[in-house]
Amino acid sequence: MTISADEILKNEQEKMLRYLEWYDNLEGNFNGKIHLNREYILSIKEELRNSPDAYPTKFVYMLNIPPKEYNTKYPDAVMYENYKMKAYGMLYINSRSESGWYDEDIGFAIGLELITKEFVDKHPEWSNIIR
């Protein structure tokens, strides 16, 4: 599976713009607006591990799951997530009326958070992941 940030934007731009708009309306500045319930994530570790869908790679490190295990089970997930974060970064930069030094980094970090939000929206049974 070869994909790029441009292809992701082509296929998912409208949905991603809605997520960015939702994110912009949360309290706070820049990134770090979505708070994860780490205790809950730890309590569902085996359920996530056995999920047929790839979960955010952030959880791999939070749950001390061997990255090789994750990469073997979901071989294209890491690449897709990286390109998706880049796509979110591009949308973020394009949505700013004034640009700053850290816009690309902020957009990338927001993308990482929104990938988690997208995962939770796709899996409402784990809605307690986000506080």
Side-chain angles (χ1 to χ4, degrees):
M1 172 183 171
T2 337
I3 195 150
S4 69
D6 290 330
E7 290 173 282
I8 291 171
L9 281 174
K10 180 181 169 190
N11 297 328
E12 301 183 44
Q13 185 168 352
E14 287 181 36
K15 176 183 80 170
M16 293 172 70
L17 284 170
R18 285 192 305 274
Y19 273 101
L20 269 175
E21 184 179 331
W22 171 84
Y23 192 86
D24 271 345
N25 289 317
L26 294 176
E27 285 187 29
N29 294 319
F30 306 117
N31 62 327
K33 295 180 182 184
I34 294 177
H35 303 286
L36 300 178
N37 183 343
R38 292 178 184 273
E39 295 80 24
Y40 178 74
I41 293 169
L42 283 168
S43 75
I44 61 167
K45 177 179 180 175
E46 290 310 311
E47 292 174 62
L48 287 169
R49 209 175 196 168
N50 296 323
S51 172
D53 291 335
Y55 44 88
T57 55
K58 185 173 191 171
F59 298 169
V60 171
Y61 300 100
M62 288 174 63
L63 297 171
N64 201 26
I65 294 170
K68 187 174 181 180
E69 173 189 316
Y70 180 87
N71 292 339
T72 301
K73 186 170 182 181
Y74 312 107
D76 298 318
V78 175
M79 181 181 9
Y80 178 80
E81 188 173 287
N82 282 325
Y83 283 125
K84 182 102 180 214
M85 286 187 292
K86 182 157 185 67
Y88 266 119
M90 292 164 53
L91 287 175
Y92 177 79
I93 288 170
N94 291 335
S95 70
R96 304 290 110 203
S97 57
E98 295 181 28
S99 61
W101 288 93
Y102 300 105
D103 282 349
E104 185 175 359
D105 296 335
I106 293 167
F108 200 76
I110 290 171
L112 182 61
E113 290 188 74
L114 289 175
I115 287 167
T116 303
K117 172 70 170 139
E118 286 184 29
F119 176 78
V120 169
D121 286 353
K122 186 175 179 183
H123 296 279
E125 68 272 22
W126 294 322
S127 61
N128 289 332
I129 287 174
I130 294 176
R131 291 185 182 178

